[in-house]
Amino acid sequence: MTFGAVLLAGGESRRMGSDKAAVLFRGKPLWQVQLETLQKLGPKEIFVSARIDPPWRPDDVLFIADVPPSRGPLSGLAASMNRMRTTHLLALAIDMPWMSNNYLEFLYAQVEPGCGVLPKIRDRAEPLAAIYPRQAAIEISKALAGTDFSLQSVTCDLVAVGKLRVVPVAQQKEKFFRNINELSDLRSR
């Protein structure tokens, strides 16, 4: 099995008021923090999925345009799955900078041929820090063509057909899934 990775950076950052990717976290912009996290894992390929090619994207990272019209992270995931050359795709949101390499390695150790992993905190799936098998492209494309663009719904379907396996998140690991939507999120943590 091989894996690629996609940094999902297509959000509009409405609550933030400016591009989240440029927000500083521990002295570095979020895009750099998240790309470094992914690079340390050694994926075969790394994509940045966004509405437009971001000016901060390094040359060795491939830009993937969201499938138009953009339907949020579902569009970025669909576009990335259409381009991936690996058996699995690790998706990571740009606004989840507390995620650790060790935890992502823990998740990857649990994938199987044709089946990825979906972290879940209590009853809520965490689809923006999950690993999808290539075979999930069918359900993701079907959702994109429908009217329900929620990754919660899509991942529920993928679990039901055996393409994703739920991995309960231990309480002490929940901190990895915090995200930054407003500048106050940086100060309150």
Side-chain angles (χ1 to χ4, degrees), residues 98 178-179 184-189:
W98 287 277
R178 295 184 305 203
N179 62 7
S184 62
D185 293 334
L186 290 168
R187 292 187 293 273
S188 65
R189 311 262 182 196

Side-chain angles (χ1 to χ4, degrees), residues 5-142:
V6 59
L7 179 59
L8 297 168
E12 295 180 11
S13 303
R14 280 187 216 113
R15 287 180 279 177
M16 183 66 70
S18 62
D19 185 10
K20 277 187 200 180
V23 171
L24 293 182
F25 178 81
R26 298 181 182 159
K28 295 181 182 179
L30 283 178
W31 69 263
Q32 185 177 359
V33 170
Q34 296 302 76
L35 277 179
E36 287 175 359
T37 295
L38 292 174
Q39 289 166 335
K40 288 176 188 170
L41 296 169
K44 298 279 184 203
E45 55 196 4
I46 299 179
F47 307 123
V48 167
S49 175
R51 294 169 192 260
I52 59 169
D53 193 356
W56 48 259
R57 180 184 56 84
D59 291 339
D60 62 340
V61 174
L62 184 62
F63 168 66
I64 302 288
D66 284 1
V67 172
S70 183
R71 304 294 188 208
L74 181 63
S75 293
L77 193 55
S80 300
M81 294 197 81
N82 287 337
R83 295 284 297 276
M84 67 187 269
R85 296 174 292 164
T86 57
T87 63
H88 290 81
L89 181 70
L90 166 62
L92 182 62
I94 197 158
D95 63 356
M96 206 178 284
W98 287 277
M99 183 54 66
S100 82
N101 289 89
N102 288 341
Y103 192 79
L104 293 174
E105 288 171 353
F106 161 77
L107 289 178
Y108 186 70
Q110 298 184 62
V111 301
E112 298 173 358
C115 186
V117 293
L118 175 67
K120 199 166 191 181
I121 298 176
R122 290 175 288 287
D123 63 344
R124 179 125 177 113
E126 293 292 342
L128 300 182
I131 302 173
Y132 299 86
R134 174 187 294 281
Q135 294 84 343
I138 296 166
E139 287 79 9
I140 290 170
S141 293
K142 187 190 304 183

Side-chain angles (χ1 to χ4, degrees), residues 112-176:
E112 298 173 358
C115 186
V117 293
L118 175 67
K120 199 166 191 181
I121 298 176
R122 290 175 288 287
D123 63 344
R124 179 125 177 113
E126 293 292 342
L128 300 182
I131 302 173
Y132 299 86
R134 174 187 294 281
Q135 294 84 343
I138 296 166
E139 287 79 9
I140 290 170
S141 293
K142 187 190 304 183
L144 200 55
T147 57
D148 182 359
F149 309 118
S150 164
L151 277 178
Q152 293 293 319
S153 299
V154 175
T155 55
C156 185
D157 293 344
L158 289 167
V159 169
V161 298
K163 293 182 182 178
L164 282 181
R165 186 168 54 77
V166 170
V167 175
V169 176
Q171 187 174 5
Q172 69 269 25
K173 306 294 184 188
E174 290 179 11
K175 62 187 176 192
F176 298 145

